[in-house]
Amino acid sequence: MKEPIQIRGARTHNLREVTCEFPPAVLTVVTGVSGSGKSSLVFDTLYAEGQRRFVQSMSTYSRMFLERMERPDVDFISNIPPAIALAQKNTIRNARSTVGTITEINDHLRLVYAHVGEATCTACGGRVARDDPHTGLLDLEAMGEGTAVLVVAPVEIADLPLENVATGLRKQGYRRLWIDGKVIRLDEESDEIPELPKAAETAAAYGGRQVLPVVIDRLTIGTTRQARCREALEAAFALARGRALLVPQDGGDPRTLDRRFTCRDCGLERGELVPHLFSFNSPLGACPECQGFGRVAGLDLDKVIPDPRVSLDEGAVAPWTTPSGEEMWERMLAAAKDHGIRTKVPWKELRDEEKAFVLDGEPTGGPPLKGRRKRFKGVHGFFRWLERKRYRTHVRVLIARYRGYTPCGVCLGARLQPDALAVRVGGWNIAELTERPIAEALTWADTIAADPRISARAATLLSEVRSRLGYLMEVGLDYLTLGRQARTLSGGEAQRIHLASALGSALTDTLYCLDEPTVGLHARDSARLLGVLRGLTEAGNTVVVVEHDPSLIEGADNVIDLGPGGGAGGGQVLYAGPPEGLPKDTSTTARFLEVRGDDDTVPQRGAGKAGVRIEGARENNLQNVTVTIPAKRLVCLTGVSGSGKSSLAEQVLYNGHLREQGEGVEAGACDAIRGLEAFDEVVLMNQAPAGRSSRSNAATYLKAYDEIRKLLAATTAARQEGIPAGHFSFNSNGGRCEECGGMGTVTLEMHFMADLEVACEQCSGTRFKPHVLEVRYRGRNVNEILGLTIDEAREFFSERPRIRDRFAALSLVGLGYITLGQATSTLSGGEAQRLKLASFIDAGNTAQRLLIFDEPTTGLHLSDVARLVRVLHDLVDRGNTILVVEHNLDFIAAADWVIDLGPGGGDRGGQLVGEGTPRDLACGGGTPTADALAEIFGTPTVARDPKPAPKTKVARAPKPAPKKKAAPRRKPAAKKKITSKPKATAKKKSTSSKKTGSTKAASASRSGAQ
């Protein structure tokens, strides 16, 4: 019986002498309110000690760095097995990394294609194959029993004298040739020897080479033993350098065998099918044009013509609105006048041939030009001319401003060279296979595994491929593709992919530490994930999960509940044991599990009047979706993973709004977006880091650190030492530690394993020089102030309202437990969104906004979800409209209106399957979201047809009262007609837009670093 992992006296961060046990080979869920110390216990104590002990078992070189690795603040830890941490964060930035490469499925597929792939000739489309004695025997059998066949070796003569070749053949025992349809003997007594040179001149040519067909053996199908047939084929291949000829003596067509990899139609030799040929990370397989990236840098027309509502007269072509482009603009207008191109209508209303004229210019072979004007070469010609001037710095800057990435014109985004794409297995080449959803890839693998010809040669490989694809299905990622870039995955998706990889590795006696694996996962798939985690424990592994999802908490073997509060109010073990024993009197988790769906304090406003209407959305997998987002309501956009929620909310709605405002972004395809003119702002709050710099923290993001530095600089000690406010900044020289650059940590490149981040030896992680740390305000120096939590800082600065009030909003959105100095780059996606949300909570702000969120409940306890719901409803009461992409059932149940997409993910999704209030949706049933809502409401669902029509709506929004007509869309502000040269593109926008955390964020977005 294995001993449990024991922790005694853990004091990491806010943990208060925590003592607990983790039973071996079981699933333990660590839960508690946000900031209660869950990650401190699991990752900063348990996993950190496991990692430290692992490095201790390595080489002397590795152990040199152990003294610099900070040991967790704990009295005693025992029985820790080798540990693996799967964090809820996607740190992959390499464009070459894909789902297939991470899971190693691509490695196995490359071997499959190299072993059983069927190649076609890229020149003529013929079959490319290689023969061997086995295929030769099959060809002999196909000729029919009783057929007499000659096995002939076409020996190349090259430049050797024919007599010498004949002499050599005789010495080897070969005495017969097959020339002009008859056998000629090479015996010295033969009278035909003098005629041999003449006969050789008429011998058959093979690939332009003159050959001498030597008869190896004469066989009779069905009579001659198979061993003799194989021996004859081997001898022919050896004599003729891999070639052989099967000649039926009844006059049938001869069959050519070739051990080389050649086209059977044109005879062109192709490269060998080796695994590296199917890898876009290998020089052998990568497309020579794009080097395996699938995209090439080119001209981005969305940047060249950022606002399609502008005419050519008004300066639609952005590069020619500057003084350096004035000549090209005038040349374009003159050429347009001669060719009848309309210059006063918006760009989007021009005909295709008119747009082509602007982009490609005048034809070079046309009639002579009128007057003395120069030929107009178009936008593409202009940038080709600029390429010849790249040696000038300002030209390179101009080119870079309008550059973008476009699909490679050679491989069309497939990343591989033509020879690799010409190889197919089961009807698909490897690029086509990796662009299909994982569910379809698994069907393909099952199909070809059932083919005996393929399974005989690749059974083990196919078994591994099917196993790993099955694990991806089990963790709810069936909608992804193997070719999906890893850097585009959400944190939850990346974690579940690593979990699937761990399952595929079949490790045992290992400690797995996971951080909220249900992030981004629909409630329908949580049960499947629970089964996957149990599969790990059944293999003898110990699984510890930091989680808030009720289904995982209730399905765990062991639960550790931390609390009772967050930050300084947490760090205690409230309960440890089976989930059914959670005490309702002391555990916030138990209380909220009991009252799910019964919060009567949340208003239910219904649909109300129409706000924004999206018509005919077709981006990614969306299938001509038309939805209406009610105004001044909290609206949830739901559906299983991969159903098209983010495509609709971000790519279609938000990016479509940006395009309407003249931003050069790629917007999702749709027919129209109506109603956005009613909003003062449209703001996207996604899960991107809140600050632009790794030095950004909560204090700098909310602009409170400026005031704190002024307070420190105003102290008596600072004035006596002459320390200005700038020396209390870790981003500028003077007071910061120069060894670590004010970061507090340094990164060690280990080369053989992941880099280690250790505390700076010079400042011991305090970031500042000693004389700066001696300055104190109310007993705390700058490092200690940055170590305060938000709630502690509000009390510490209670007499400084300019600082205190900036932190009040953070406490309101449930971030009172984070410290002032915690880097925004270390926050989870949900924490980053709530940090951005805090900047919009201002009672005096009456602007009407459309706020778009992407799973803001990430990392939130059930109690904190209820708090966030109240904050968002308060914003709705002030006139805002909020659209939230969400999976959390408690959040969805508290929304005013639900728009449900589905019914599945990937190609099986992208349809509107239901809309209405949460309870109406629950009563209707028929979708995964509706069924899950019915379970927490305790609502019986209406019986439905087993296959409901995908576009049947559960409930319809009531039509707005016909008191007023909907406000017409505002036209762009009229522009002053340009007569000499276009003005700079500074257009007044009817609505503003923000993408919090992006490089183009508006004024409300915080830059972060001071």
Side-chain angles (χ1 to χ4, degrees), residues 380-412:
H380 294 301
F382 172 70
F383 277 92
R384 285 195 295 269
W385 175 79
L386 286 178
E387 288 290 345
R388 298 197 295 269
K389 307 289 183 181
R390 287 186 64 91
Y391 57 87
R392 299 178 180 176
T393 303
H394 72 279
V395 172
R396 292 197 299 273
V397 172
L398 179 62
I399 292 174
R401 187 179 303 164
Y402 299 102
R403 281 293 189 194
Y405 288 98
T406 57
C408 174
V410 175
C411 67
L412 302 180

Side-chain angles (χ1 to χ4, degrees), residues 695-714:
R695 298 174 179 271
S696 172
N697 55 43
T700 60
Y701 187 82
L702 294 178
K703 303 298 182 184
Y705 196 48
D706 294 339
E707 301 295 331
I708 294 174
R709 291 191 289 117
K710 290 177 183 178
L711 281 180
L712 289 167

Side-chain angles (χ1 to χ4, degrees), residues 136-291:
L137 290 174
L138 295 178
D139 287 338
L140 287 172
E141 292 176 2
M143 291 182 179
E145 190 171 350
T147 304
V149 181
L150 291 179
V151 178
V152 178
V155 179
E156 292 186 20
I157 298 176
D159 297 329
L160 296 175
L162 188 57
E163 291 79 3
N164 294 351
V165 175
T167 302
L169 291 173
R170 280 195 293 265
K171 289 181 178 180
Q172 296 181 56
Y174 299 111
R175 303 300 178 91
R176 291 171 295 176
L177 302 177
W178 178 257
I179 297 178
D180 295 334
K182 59 182 179 179
V183 176
I184 298 177
R185 298 188 62 83
L186 285 176
D187 294 331
E188 294 182 2
E189 295 82 6
S190 174
D191 296 332
E192 295 183 32
I193 292 179
E195 303 295 327
L196 187 59
K198 183 177 180 181
E201 291 175 1
T202 61
Y206 292 78
R209 301 180 180 90
Q210 196 73 14
V211 298
L212 198 62
V214 179
V215 177
I216 303 297
D217 201 350
R218 180 183 295 165
L219 312 173
T220 302
I221 309 303
T223 302
T224 306
R225 291 182 298 106
Q226 192 177 60
R228 179 179 170 182
C229 296
R230 180 181 292 275
E231 184 179 353
L233 291 170
E234 289 282 8
F237 282 137
L239 187 63
R241 298 183 181 180
R243 295 184 180 88
L245 203 64
L246 303 180
V247 183
Q249 290 195 286
D250 59 2
D253 293 332
R255 171 76 168 88
T256 302
L257 303 180
D258 197 333
R259 259 185 170 168
R260 299 175 307 162
F261 203 60
T262 58
C263 176
R264 289 296 177 258
D265 294 342
C266 66
L268 190 62
E269 186 172 359
R270 294 296 178 185
E272 296 289 330
L273 294 187
V274 294
H276 284 303
L277 179 65
F278 304 99
S279 172
F280 47 78
N281 291 324
S282 167
L284 182 62
C287 169
E289 179 68 19
C290 63
Q291 306 302 316

Side-chain angles (χ1 to χ4, degrees), residues 5 63 65 267 377 385 498 542 730 807 910 965 978 989:
I5 301 172
R63 292 197 299 272
F65 302 95
K377 297 183 179 180
W385 175 79
H498 288 301
T542 302
F730 44 77
F807 297 137
K965 292 184 177 180
I978 301 176
K989 301 176 182 179

